[in-house]
Amino acid sequence: MFTQSPWSLEDLFPDQDSPEMKAAFDDLDVKVVEFEALRPGLSASISVEDFLNVIRQLEAISRLSRLIGEFASLSYSANTQDQTIQAFQSDVENRLALIANRTLFFSLWWKSLDEAEVERLMAASGDYCYWLEEMRHFKPYTLTEPEEKVINIKDVTGAIATVNLYTTFTNRYIFQLEVDGEVKHLTRGELMVYARHYDPALRAAAYQELYRVYGQDGAILGQMYQTLARDWHNENLDMRHFSNPLAVRNLANDIPDDVVDTLLGVCQDNTSVFQRFFRLKARWLQMERLSRYDIYAPVVKSEKMYSFNEAAEMVFDAFQRFEPRVAELARRVLERDHLDSEVRRGKESGAFCASTVPDLTPWVLVNYQGKPDDVATLAHELGHAVHAQLAGEHSLFTFHSALPLAETASTFGEMVLIDYLLARETDASVRQTLLFRQVDDTYGTVMRQAQFAFFERQAHDMIQQAATVDEISNAYLENLRKQFGDAVDVSDEFRWEWVSIPHFYFTPFYVYAYTFGQLLVLSLYQQYKVEGEAFKPRYLSLLAAGGSKPPEKILSDAGINMHNASFWQGGFDVIRGLIEQLEAIPVMK
Ligand SMILES: [Zn+2]
């Protein structure tokens, strides 16, 4: 029987004040001193053995840093309003930044070498090879050691502190909503359940309350964003000489600029696909035209709820039928007590999976409330955990997949779950709900994120032109209205949506990775349906590659050419197929 409880961080440390934590910091210090002693030995003629020894020592330091850093950040996510935890976390960030600075000389030296020297060492580096290669990509954008150190130190109290302020600030919001005559006080996660309520008035009220609260602080939250966007520009364009703000992320993702342009271009060309879906949805909801409040509305009244235990069992069973190994790895997260699924005040909203080091089971945070949606989120986050564990044979530096491939196992896991539910559900209304929800979610990960990416580019440009927060909000609203065309009415308060999207703050230009990942998975899933068993080894080895090869190579090994517009169009063809399938169903009243 699976029950809900906060996660255990015992596999990291018993406590932030424990002797183990103190010992880890002491050990880290010893290791860094030893590592610094290796510095004089770094030369173009270094032997392969010495070179590998340096890397292994750096890996040991990174490992300890991650264990400490993850403990602090997971403690914080579980309780963002606890002052002791918050103070500990910022202390840890500060100390780890100082340590990162003391080891920085290695990457600077590595980037300074000539190609010929690099080739000799790389040939002998085994699993570290791609990590070393990736570091070299940044050679043209790397500054001197003192400059790099100043950036690292100033980031702790600059960009990172701003992001932390944003998190603390927004996670204390309490939203009020009147439901059946009673005023409820809700977290964001609890409030947004009503965005999918069958009562249109409640849906509207939920969104209005969301943006009333965010809008009240809109000027401050917008100012935080302006600060971060300026910081991004000052560092990456002015100092490092990247050609544009997006190119920074593309290089970190190791995705060529032209691929991202092609991907987003295909999305632009397919705006009408979802407009068509929203018109269909309006007919089901018996509305002349959808409002933005209604885009995630259920088309039929179904109040199906799942207990947490049922949800966990369904996810494991669905995974088991797909591939027993996948189920086993997902189950391990619960067995290790690494899942925090309950809803609590002060806990971070949303959901994530943190894969810390290759040999530890990842930690997963969700806010489980029993809706079919929450079951899908559980499958999604456990999919991430499966991905990390399948890649657990790689080094600390190569087990994390690049962002655009990071959503593969998660999204695929969700699709496996939906198919499992569809195959078992006999109630027509639940089936319609599931099918519509699949397109709803696809909208949320494909088109919505692509539109976010367009907006983000525009916002960064506007901030360089000294745009005000209101001007950015107006641009955001205009983008939304263009995207929805005459298919959906967008009311004014949606101008504040952008200040409520954490990704814009945490990881600029992250969002296209979702679009990339979802379209990729639609096409992979199509292959799975056609090929069945034969598909699985290719899929599992794609996941097991983790971040040990360039994304382009991982995909071409799986038979995919990401430069090809027709590949991305194939994803939209699957979506259009789903919509046509829905159009063929007579509207149920
Ligand atoms: Zn995800």
Side-chain angles (χ1 to χ4, degrees):
M1 181 83 178
F2 299 106
T3 52
Q4 290 182 273
S5 63
W7 52 33
S8 158
L9 300 180
E10 284 281 329
D11 284 347
L12 293 166
F13 296 96
D15 200 287
Q16 69 188 48
D17 302 315
S18 60
E20 287 86 346
M21 180 61 82
K22 190 182 174 310
F25 269 114
D26 291 345
D27 187 17
L28 194 52
D29 206 49
V30 171
K31 285 194 161 68
V32 175
V33 171
E34 284 170 5
F35 187 73
E36 286 173 319
L38 299 172
R39 184 169 185 165
L42 293 181
S43 71
S45 57
I46 188 171
S47 74
V48 162
E49 295 89 280
D50 287 349
F51 178 67
L52 287 178
N53 180 42
V54 173
I55 294 181
R56 285 194 198 102
Q57 297 231 31
L58 182 62
E59 190 178 17
I61 291 170
S62 306
R63 180 189 163 82
L64 260 180
S65 301
R66 273 208 203 156
L67 296 178
I68 296 170
E70 197 81 275
F71 179 84
S73 96
L74 293 177
S75 304
Y76 176 65
S77 297
N79 197 344
T80 63
Q81 307 301 315
D82 184 308
Q83 289 198 19
T84 323
I85 293 173
Q86 189 263 320
F88 176 71
Q89 198 218 8
S90 46
D91 182 51
V92 164
E93 271 167 0
N94 207 49
R95 291 167 79 163
L96 293 182
L98 290 168
I99 283 166
N101 267 355
R102 288 167 66 189
T103 60
L104 185 65
F105 64 87
F106 172 77
S107 68
L108 295 175
W109 166 75
W110 173 247
K111 284 185 268 188
S112 75
L113 293 179
D114 293 336
E115 268 324 303
E117 297 149 356
V118 162
E119 264 173 47
R120 174 180 68 91
L121 295 168
M122 207 118 94
S125 322
D127 194 50
Y128 297 116
C129 199
Y130 177 55
W131 168 68
L132 290 166
E133 185 189 315
E134 259 200 302
M135 237 189 286
R136 300 270 303 175
H137 293 168
F138 287 85
K139 180 175 173 151
Y141 310 103
T142 300
L143 308 174
T144 64
E145 183 169 357
E147 287 171 321
E148 293 288 350
K149 284 184 167 173
V150 169
I151 289 177
N152 286 346
I153 289 297
K154 296 304 254 182
D155 268 355
V156 175
T157 47
I160 297 172
T162 308
V163 165
N164 286 343
L165 268 181
Y166 174 85
T167 306
T168 307
F169 203 67
T170 53
N171 278 291
R172 67 198 282 219
Y173 287 159
I174 295 297
F175 303 89
Q176 295 181 22
L177 190 70
E178 194 180 319
V179 184
D180 299 333
E182 182 206 341
V183 177
K184 295 191 174 220
H185 298 263
L186 307 166
T187 63
R188 180 179 182 171
E190 291 168 330
L191 176 74
M192 291 327 285
V193 168
Y194 293 96
R196 293 178 185 256
H197 201 277
Y198 58 82
D199 177 358
L202 266 179
R203 294 197 295 266
Y207 277 111
Q208 285 158 1
E209 173 65 3
L210 178 71
Y211 297 125
R212 180 189 68 80
V213 172
Y214 272 91
Q216 257 173 6
D217 291 334
I220 301 170
L221 300 174
Q223 197 179 3
M224 290 180 185
Y225 182 75
Q226 286 170 321
T227 304
L228 291 166
R230 279 193 192 283
D231 181 71
W232 187 263
H233 193 281
N234 292 347
E235 177 184 332
N236 292 306
L237 279 77
D238 294 347
M239 295 171 70
R240 300 190 187 276
H241 304 299
F242 277 95
S243 60
N244 66 76
L246 183 61
V248 187
R249 178 68 56 210
N250 294 348
L251 191 68
N253 287 344
D254 200 5
I255 300 289
D257 291 350
D258 75 282
V259 171
V260 179
D261 290 342
T262 303
L263 168 71
L264 294 176
V266 169
C267 291
Q268 193 80 293
D269 295 343
N270 284 275
T271 315
S272 66
V273 172
F274 286 103
Q275 290 177 354
R276 177 171 165 185
F277 174 65
F278 295 133
R279 286 193 198 95
L280 168 70
K281 210 159 174 180
R283 288 199 292 280
W284 277 76
L285 295 171
Q286 290 155 54
M287 292 176 165
E288 194 172 328
R289 191 204 311 257
L290 279 197
S291 143
R292 170 62 185 80
Y293 305 133
D294 308 314
I295 65 171
Y296 299 118
V299 290
V300 282
K301 191 171 167 175
S302 151
E303 295 189 47
K304 190 133 183 172
M305 297 284 272
Y306 302 92
S307 73
F308 178 72
N309 185 60
E310 280 174 304
E313 295 285 10
M314 285 189 311
V315 172
F316 296 145
D317 197 27
F319 284 9
Q320 178 77 26
R321 279 157 204 273
F322 172 67
E323 170 64 43
R325 175 123 179 86
V326 168
E328 180 199 326
L329 295 175
R331 208 177 274 119
R332 196 176 290 168
V333 175
L334 276 78
E335 285 163 2
R336 298 296 311 166
D337 205 5
H338 283 198
L339 176 76
D340 190 329
S341 63
E342 64 182 19
V343 178
R344 286 192 306 277
R345 282 286 146 81
K347 176 176 159 179
E348 190 170 330
S349 63
F352 66 75
C353 170
S355 38
T356 313
V357 293
D359 55 311
L360 280 185
T361 308
W363 277 265
V364 168
L365 179 144
V366 294
N367 283 276
Y368 187 82
Q369 298 178 76
K371 291 270 181 187
D373 222 39
D374 296 318
V375 188
T377 303
L378 186 64
H380 179 104
E381 299 306 334
L382 290 175
H384 279 302
V386 169
H387 194 168
Q389 293 175 85
L390 281 171
E393 297 300 311
H394 295 290
S395 77
L396 181 66
F397 300 133
T398 47
F399 89 110
H400 273 147
S401 62
L403 288 184
L405 296 188
E407 295 298 335
T408 312
S410 52
T411 315
F412 198 93
E414 269 187 74
M415 295 183 74
V416 166
L417 175 78
I418 301 282
D419 266 3
Y420 169 88
L421 293 176
L422 281 173
R424 263 148 207 83
E425 193 55 68
T426 47
D427 180 337
S429 72
V430 179
R431 290 179 58 85
Q432 319 301 13
T433 305
L434 286 169
L435 284 166
F436 268 94
R437 182 177 300 277
Q438 201 173 3
V439 186
D440 288 349
D441 290 349
T442 306
Y443 164 74
T445 36
V446 175
M447 192 54 83
R448 178 171 153 87
Q449 306 297 329
Q451 298 298 331
F452 280 169
F454 293 130
F455 163 73
E456 227 177 339
R457 280 208 283 213
Q458 188 184 358
H460 274 248
D461 285 348
M462 288 177 73
I463 288 165
Q464 284 310 303
Q465 310 300 321
T468 65
V469 172
D470 279 341
E471 284 165 346
I472 300 170
S473 296
N474 287 339
Y476 184 81
L477 193 60
E478 212 175 289
N479 276 2
L480 273 185
R481 290 186 168 145
K482 214 185 296 163
Q483 175 202 162
F484 289 120
D486 62 3
V488 178
D489 283 328
V490 183
S491 46
D492 269 355
E493 67 271 23
F494 282 89
R495 68 172 60 249
W496 290 118
E497 184 175 18
W498 66 283
V499 299
S500 77
I501 308 294
H503 279 110
F504 291 161
Y505 292 76
F506 294 3
T507 321
F509 305 104
Y510 182 103
V511 289
Y512 78 75
Y514 284 112
T515 312
F516 189 113
Q518 175 80 58
L519 289 174
L520 167 67
V521 168
L522 285 170
S523 124
L524 285 174
Y525 205 75
Q526 199 63 13
Q527 290 181 21
Y528 164 50
K529 283 192 164 164
V530 175
E531 298 172 31
E533 286 300 314
F535 164 83
K536 290 179 186 172
R538 206 166 69 240
Y539 173 66
L540 294 174
S541 61
L542 183 157
L543 298 183
S548 63
K549 287 186 270 183
E552 185 160 10
K553 174 86 175 81
I554 294 177
L555 291 185
S556 64
D557 286 349
I560 292 162
N561 177 1
M562 65 184 187
H563 293 271
N564 217 331
S566 66
F567 167 70
W568 301 110
Q569 185 58 48
F572 275 101
D573 295 345
V574 175
I575 300 169
R576 192 174 320 109
L578 276 170
I579 296 171
E580 278 164 7
Q581 206 180 317
L582 289 171
E583 283 171 339
I585 305 172
V587 176
M588 294 201 331
K589 298 277 152 65

